[in-house]
Amino acid sequence: LKELGVYASDPDVGEILYQVFRLEEARTITAGGEGAYRFYLQETVGAAGVTVTCSSAGLLVDEDLAPTRSRVMAAAVATEAVTLTPAELPAYIRALPRMLHRNIRITLTAGACDEPLELVGFYGPGLLFISAPDGTSCSFTKGVYVERCSVYVELYNLAISGVRSGSGTVVYAATSSFVYLHSCTVDASGVNYGVSTGRGGCLYTVGCAINNAAGSGALCSESGMMTLVNCTASGNASGIYVWNGGIVLLYGSTPDTLGGAANKKQGGIIVKKDGTLL
């Protein structure tokens, strides 16, 4: 179906074609199927004749929905690449739709961001990849927070310190399916925890330096899982803190106590790379 004609009875000539609607997107008519199409008409009769207009106020027509439908039905996920300064990144993230239909690869230039970086509520088939090229000084001084995300999130080569108001963790990943923290420096000076996950979250940490936590370098709780691969650490009051169902897996050269005098366990487990428990 591409056109719809409306006929009327003219008192002088009989039946006439009164109005034609041309559809921007064709509808498929199938045998035995049913379809309902609604058209809103406003009719004005004046000296010049009859005018019929269609008001779109308050209506969503099929053409309005077509762009979203095409993304939902897409067989492949497109990739979008952008380059930003660290200071521009939080506003860019806030403006993104929560349902990601594409892979977004963000390359950061040198610089600093003095507000929290919050990646919250993203879902869909896309991913978020945020990186600074090797040798680029790129810092976030109010922490990084990934919460309630079902999309893959990767953070690469960032220097992260400080916290947002009310938080005790520099890098926090909770209720998120998979967060990949790669080659980042986490400075937890004056902060309780360097990195943490919980509430079923998964934080995969590779080649990161986690230093100077006033409490523990890493916190894992509430059925969260954290993997520490080839990480370094120093100056942490305690190393790894697991409680209430948290699981931490160690691999490669990551020290058993993550730069602290000892680990702490309250209802969680810490597993060495050979499978034995600490």
Side-chain angles (χ1 to χ4, degrees):
L1 175 64
K2 295 182 178 179
E3 295 180 334
L4 183 68
V6 178
Y7 289 82
S9 295
D10 184 281
D12 297 323
V13 298
E15 188 176 64
I16 62 170
L17 180 60
Y18 181 68
Q19 180 78 12
V20 175
F21 295 92
R22 290 183 173 87
L23 309 181
E24 293 182 11
E25 182 175 329
R27 275 70 166 179
T28 300
I29 308 299
T30 57
E34 294 183 0
Y37 306 103
R38 183 173 299 169
F39 298 87
Y40 290 84
L41 304 179
Q42 178 181 341
E43 182 179 298
T44 303
V45 181
V50 178
T51 301
V52 178
T53 59
C54 177
S55 172
S56 60
L59 301 179
L60 278 175
V61 297
D62 197 68
E63 287 74 19
D64 296 323
L65 301 177
T68 299
R69 182 190 299 107
S70 64
R71 290 194 295 266
V72 171
M73 299 301 292
V77 179
T79 296
E80 175 182 325
V82 297
T83 300
L84 302 169
T85 68
E88 292 171 331
L89 182 59
Y92 177 84
I93 293 295
R94 287 192 293 269
L96 287 175
R98 298 302 97 172
M99 185 174 183
L100 283 185
H101 296 281
R102 60 196 187 280
N103 300 330
I104 300 180
R105 295 184 173 272
I106 302 169
T107 300
L108 297 174
T109 61
C113 177
D114 60 1
E115 64 174 297
L117 176 58
E118 299 175 314
L119 311 172
V120 180
F122 288 103
Y123 64 100
L127 63 79
L128 280 171
F129 179 63
I130 301 171
S131 68
D134 293 338
T136 302
S137 177
C138 181
S139 62
F140 292 82
T141 61
K142 293 294 184 181
V144 174
Y145 306 91
V146 187
E147 302 172 63
R148 303 191 310 279
C149 285
S150 61
V151 302
Y152 173 94
V153 175
E154 181 169 344
L155 306 169
Y156 177 79
N157 199 32
L158 309 179
I160 310 170
S161 61
V163 294
R164 67 183 177 187
S165 178
S167 175
T169 301
V170 178
V171 177
Y172 179 72
T175 324
S176 297
S177 59
F178 193 88
V179 180
Y180 190 9
L181 191 68
H182 192 312
S183 300
C184 293
T185 299
V186 179
D187 182 5
S189 298
V191 180
N192 283 338
Y193 306 109
V195 296
S196 70
T197 189
R199 300 177 185 174
C202 181
L203 177 61
Y204 193 79
T205 310
V206 179
C208 294
I210 305 169
N211 305 321
N212 305 320
S216 300
L219 167 67
C220 189
S221 64
E222 298 172 302
S223 297
M225 179 176 289
M226 182 186 302
T227 304
L228 297 165
V229 181
N230 296 331
C231 292
T232 62
S234 65
N236 298 317
S238 65
I240 302 166
Y241 182 20
V242 290
W243 69 280
N244 198 17
I247 300 173
V248 172
L249 309 176
L250 303 181
Y251 191 76
S253 59
T254 303
D256 288 351
T257 58
L258 200 65
N263 296 324
K264 299 192 296 183
K265 294 190 293 184
Q266 290 181 302
I269 62 174
I270 303 171
V271 184
K272 297 174 66 174
K273 67 179 181 179
D274 63 3
T276 59
L277 300 181
L278 280 173

